[in-house]
């Protein structure tokens, strides 16, 4: 994924799209947009940072998982088998990007109980297991793009195959704009690139 920081307006549409599509329980955000204020008045400005699992090339979470619940798919997506996860939280501690959440099974946004929508979507989550963004792997398997990418109003999230030199992501990274990855010094090789 390539993220064009100049285009992100911090609308959080991608956050809501992810929540709606994946039905994540309260307090769990597979997709977040962090806000940073830079400069001083009168020339202060805000930068919005779309964040999610970086699907690292050398994922710390995979290395520490004692049950192999977290693993790399053949296509290099980092995914979790919730049936194998014992909730030890080793991966949460190991991940430098705070991308992982342990769901304790508490449900519902409303004191009045679960809505019909919540009844349905929470059934897909496993209490006591860790969860995170999987780049909408089931959509990718159908040749579709992740929900956040489809929803972004400004098209600042660009998803594609870096192994294909003709893909849009490859062309963007070869272009004149500089790019960087977060916490490169950790050696995890994140697969999300930010255009500066
Ligand atoms: Fe694992 Fe964290 Fe990297 Fe995602 S961002 S692959 S959870 S180390
Ligand atoms: Fe693996 Fe689950 Fe432990 Fe994470 S919490 S290291 S996924 S067993």
């Amino acid at each position: 994924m390539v993220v064009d920081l100049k285009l992100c307006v911090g609308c959080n549409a991608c956050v809501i799209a992810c929540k709606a599509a994946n039905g994540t329980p309260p307090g769990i955000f597979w997709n977040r947009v962090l806000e940073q204020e830079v400069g001083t008045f009168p020339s202060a400005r805000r930068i919005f940072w779309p964040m999610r699992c970086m699907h690292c090339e050398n994922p710390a979470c995979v290395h520490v998982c004692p049950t192999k619940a977290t693993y790399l798919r053949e296509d290099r997506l980092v995914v979790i088998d919730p049936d194998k996860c014992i909730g030890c939280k080793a991966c949460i501690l190991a991940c430098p990007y705070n991308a992982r959440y342990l769901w304790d099974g508490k449900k519902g946004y409303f004191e009045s109980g679960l809505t019909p929508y919540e009844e349905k979507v929470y059934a897909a989550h496993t209490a006591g297991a860790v969860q995170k963004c999987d780049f909408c792997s089931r959509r990718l398997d159908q040749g579709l793009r992740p929900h956040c990418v489809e929803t972004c109003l400004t098209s600042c999230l660009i998803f594609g195959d870096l192994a294909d030199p003709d893909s849009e992501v490859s062309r963007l990274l070869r272009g004149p704009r500089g790019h960087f990855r977060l916490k490169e010094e950790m050696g995890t090789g994140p697969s999300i690139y930010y255009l500066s």
Side-chain angles (χ1 to χ4, degrees), residues 92-170:
I92 292 177
L93 289 175
C95 172
Y97 305 99
N98 295 325
R100 294 180 158 249
Y101 296 82
L102 178 74
W103 184 42
D104 59 7
K106 281 202 198 109
K107 299 175 181 172
Y109 276 93
F110 309 102
E111 281 182 12
S112 54
L114 297 184
T115 64
Y117 165 79
E118 288 180 301
E119 290 274 11
K120 187 166 167 26
V121 294
Y122 298 152
H125 298 274
T126 304
V130 164
Q131 52 175 270
K132 68 166 189 71
C133 159
D134 67 349
F135 268 160
C136 295
S137 56
R138 275 170 298 178
R139 284 176 64 82
L140 297 185
D141 292 343
Q142 297 169 55
L144 301 170
R145 300 186 303 173
H147 281 290
C148 54
V149 175
E150 288 290 351
T151 307
C152 179
L153 307 182
T154 65
S155 301
C156 74
L157 307 175
I158 305 105
F159 191 84
D161 184 2
L162 275 177
D164 173 3
D166 294 326
S167 66
E168 190 181 2
V169 284
S170 295

Side-chain angles (χ1 to χ4, degrees), residues 30-47:
W30 292 3
N31 181 20
R32 296 167 291 153
V33 179
L34 305 185
E35 298 183 19
Q36 180 187 18
E37 193 166 301
V38 293
T40 49
F41 180 84
S43 53
R45 65 189 174 94
R46 308 200 95 183
I47 301 176

Side-chain angles (χ1 to χ4, degrees), residues 61 64-67 69-70 80 84-91 100 130:
C61 54
V64 299
C65 180
T67 64
T70 290
I80 301 169
K84 287 189 180 165
C85 177
I86 56 173
C88 68
K89 300 187 190 172
C91 57
R100 294 180 158 249
V130 164

